Amino acid sequence: MFKPIVGPVIGHTTTNHARIFIRGGSPNNDTVFAGLRYRRLDSKPWSKGSLAQLHESRDLCHVFSLNDLESDCEYEYQTGWFSPMSPVHNLQSIAELPLQWPRETYRFRTRSADPAKARAYILGSCRYLRMTAGAAVLPHLGDRIFASINQMIEGAEPAISATLMTGDQIYVDDLNLIAPDREYKDILNKYRTAFSQPNIQRLMSGTSTYMMLDDHEIEDNWPANASNSDHELFRNAMAAYELYQASHSPAQKLNNNNEVEHSKLAHYWYQFSDGDIEWFVTDSRTQRNLSVDDRRILDIEQEQALIEWLCNSTARVKFVVTSVMFYPDRKLDGTDAWQAFPAQRLRLLETIRTRKISNVVFVSGDVHGSLTSRLTHSEDPDFEIHTIVASPFYNSKLLPYAKASMFVLDQPLVRTAAGDYQHELTSTVVSEDNFAHVVVETDQILINYHDRDGKKLQSISIELR
């Protein structure tokens, strides 16, 4: 058995369930199978191996579903792929073969059910990887920051529950002005290359990773820049996104056998929980309505689901993840973020304020700069929300970093008859490659920004109510 070509990637994980993505190989287009076995770290016997046939129609990718696990428990696992000598083998016959498992072992931990435990997360976005003629150019530069994240995770207390990558995990359009990638095979190659670099591969093999879509998974400023000839580009980009990012997320449901269902996704947004902390990861990219009469960054169904979740969730802390910034607004070129959809943004703000929903934090990336900010209301002292922005993991030298001078900070975000929504930065703006280490404690959220070498840049505390 050979080690995965891409992966393994630990995806959605709960107290008793985990999803593990791998991509195998296909020597001479032979029949190919993948296998995975696991055990508690303090247990000697391995589980019975789970086996799956890999298909070219899914780029030889598969997501294993591990069920009936124990909470707050560390597991180790082995996984790989193989092509049997005889082409007539099927899942039943290979189960009888004496498999030679790869030497590599990986570890992951299930979630704790104890709501009193502190939780920690890694946040980041925008990892640029330039591809020329199908090959990565200086890929170690974009992989460097993940070595620092791995080093932090090894000694982190509390342990890191998950990494959230909030968009632009690949750049389909990295050479958009010269030779943009539009073919399915080329987009798949970008995913394979980006996710198989050594440091990010190590991170994703041991830490639950949640991903979401932004524009560069398709095309810059999608769909505003879409043309009539982009239908095929969109179809190819989304098919690749579903394979490599959505497949191991909660957006993908389980079937009656508790295996990941590979049928068409109903939508790309999803929710997950971690103790008394809940996350709503939006799709603020593919369902936009740019018409003058009813501008929306979220479609009607998603907005309703988000509002219902905000109103009905009993979570102590509610994180809303949106690939583009909820606030503050930019002085120039703000047409791609929430400021271009003011009516929908105000509906969410008014829902949070009038329903007196506390401890709501908006998380985003996109702008190639990191910051935290606080939003209050001039006539309602009970209203307060925060935003955490973490970007980029690695910036293209062709693009600038964000600076504080780019944002509108000297006037209210929104003026209404009931009062003004006023905002202020609660951090400096980080204008370099970085990631955020977020710890949710009993009475505060602590955000630490680190540079690409792991050096702490600044710390910010958000008091919980």
Side-chain angles (χ1 to χ4, degrees):
M1 193 179 293
F2 302 97
K3 67 179 183 180
I5 303 297
V6 181
V9 177
I10 299 288
H12 178 46
T13 304
T14 70
T15 56
N16 61 359
H17 169 79
R19 303 178 185 190
I20 302 179
F21 166 99
I22 77 162
R23 180 186 188 269
S26 180
N28 303 317
N29 294 317
D30 292 336
T31 303
V32 183
F33 298 90
L36 183 144
R37 66 179 184 175
Y38 65 95
R39 63 185 177 187
R40 278 180 46 148
L41 196 59
D42 57 359
S43 175
K44 290 184 178 179
W46 289 98
S47 67
K48 181 182 178 181
S50 298
L51 300 171
Q53 185 170 352
L54 305 182
H55 300 281
E56 290 285 355
S57 62
R58 294 189 55 79
D59 198 39
L60 303 174
C61 297
H62 184 73
V63 178
F64 289 99
S65 178
L66 280 55
N67 302 296
D68 301 319
L69 305 176
E70 297 180 43
S71 66
D72 199 15
C73 183
E74 194 165 9
Y75 287 84
E76 64 178 349
Y77 68 100
Q78 293 175 312
T79 185
W81 63 276
F82 62 97
S83 183
M85 296 290 290
S86 172
V88 299
H89 274 298
N90 54 35
L91 282 176
Q92 287 72 37
S93 63
I94 63 168
E96 307 300 323
L97 298 178
L99 298 177
Q100 184 71 38
W101 293 87
R103 288 184 177 181
E104 290 86 354
T105 60
Y106 311 93
R107 296 181 182 182
F108 71 92
R109 178 176 287 276
T110 52
R111 299 285 181 268
S112 170
D114 182 2
K117 292 190 68 170
R119 262 71 173 184
Y121 307 91
I122 300 295
L123 306 180
S125 63
C126 306
R127 183 275 190 100
Y128 182 78
L129 179 68
R130 179 180 168 186
M131 301 278 288
T132 301
V137 178
L138 302 176
H140 63 282
L141 297 179
D143 197 43
R144 175 176 174 177
I145 197 168
F146 298 106
S148 299
I149 296 174
N150 286 326
Q151 187 174 18
M152 166 175 287
I153 286 176
E154 287 180 0
E157 183 57 44
I160 303 298
S161 287
T163 299
L164 282 97
M165 299 183 180
T166 62
D168 296 342
Q169 279 67 254
I170 69 162
Y171 280 66
V172 169
D173 58 344
D174 63 340
L175 293 176
N176 209 35
L177 297 178
I178 305 170
D181 284 325
R182 307 179 71 87
E183 299 298 325
Y184 186 50
K185 62 180 180 60
D186 296 323
I187 299 173
L188 290 175
N189 187 41
K190 284 197 168 174
Y191 275 106
R192 296 172 198 150
T193 305
F195 287 0
S196 61
Q197 298 305 312
N199 294 320
I200 192 173
Q201 189 277 329
R202 180 183 167 200
L203 170 65
M204 296 192 299
S205 69
T207 303
S208 182
T209 305
Y210 293 86
M211 302 176 180
M212 70 182 303
L213 178 78
D214 201 20
D215 54 343
H216 291 291
E217 271 90 2
I218 311 167
E219 183 179 64
D220 184 37
N221 203 2
W222 182 272
N225 287 346
S227 66
N228 293 332
S229 62
D230 281 342
H231 297 294
E232 184 177 0
L233 164 65
F234 180 74
R235 183 175 65 252
N236 291 338
M238 297 314 300
Y241 171 78
E242 290 183 14
L243 275 181
Y244 280 89
Q245 299 200 55
S247 64
H248 46 80
S249 80
Q252 203 81 58
K253 305 304 181 186
L254 298 179
N255 60 23
N256 292 334
N257 296 322
N258 283 327
E259 297 174 343
V260 175
E261 179 60 61
H262 292 308
S263 59
K264 181 67 176 178
L265 281 170
H267 47 68
Y268 297 119
W269 46 271
Y270 59 85
Q271 304 169 30
F272 69 96
S273 61
D274 185 14
D276 60 359
I277 300 165
E278 291 187 2
W279 297 77
F280 192 111
V281 180
T282 66
D283 168 19
S284 55
R285 188 55 68 180
T286 72
Q287 298 298 315
R288 294 187 179 200
N289 187 341
L290 303 180
S291 68
V292 176
D293 297 334
D294 186 26
R295 290 184 62 82
R296 291 178 174 273
I297 194 170
L298 309 181
D299 57 281
I300 295 174
E301 178 189 5
Q302 185 179 182
E303 181 184 346
Q304 291 176 341
L306 176 55
I307 288 176
E308 289 177 8
W309 173 78
L310 285 168
C311 294
N312 298 328
S313 171
T314 59
R316 182 170 57 96
V317 179
K318 301 176 181 67
F319 287 105
V320 182
V321 189
T322 169
S323 59
V324 293
M325 287 181 63
F326 194 67
Y327 77 92
D329 292 344
R330 299 178 66 168
K331 293 179 180 178
L332 300 173
D333 192 26
T335 58
D336 193 45
W338 278 85
Q339 71 186 92
F341 305 86
Q344 191 169 48
R345 179 169 66 177
L346 183 57
R347 286 196 296 271
L348 291 179
L349 291 175
E350 286 288 272
T351 296
I352 295 169
R353 185 180 71 83
T354 59
R355 297 294 293 267
K356 297 189 179 301
I357 305 170
S358 59
N359 300 331
V360 177
V361 180
F362 284 83
V363 175
S364 63
D366 182 58
V367 295
H368 292 206
S370 293
L371 59 92
T372 63
S373 58
R374 175 174 177 259
L375 188 67
T376 57
H377 192 274
S378 63
E379 307 301 321
D380 189 343
D382 292 331
F383 173 83
E384 179 180 274
I385 67 171
H386 292 264
T387 187
I388 302 172
V389 181
S391 170
F393 283 131
Y394 178 65
N395 198 13
S396 164
K397 291 180 171 55
L398 301 176
L399 298 173
Y401 290 98
K403 299 179 180 179
S405 59
M406 294 172 53
F407 302 106
V408 181
L409 302 171
D410 58 350
Q411 55 186 283
L413 183 72
V414 186
R415 296 183 186 273
T416 72
D420 297 344
Y421 285 96
Q422 303 166 329
H423 58 104
E424 61 179 345
L425 292 181
T426 52
S427 73
T428 59
V429 176
V430 178
S431 302
E432 58 182 289
D433 296 348
N434 72 98
F435 64 93
H437 174 212
V438 176
V439 182
V440 183
E441 300 176 340
T442 303
D443 57 352
Q444 69 170 349
I445 301 174
L446 182 64
I447 304 103
N448 297 307
Y449 287 110
H450 297 261
D451 69 10
R452 65 183 181 182
D453 295 319
K455 177 184 175 183
K456 185 185 293 184
L457 299 171
Q458 60 177 322
S459 295
I460 304 97
S461 174
I462 297 175
E463 182 179 351
L464 295 175
R465 297 186 165 194

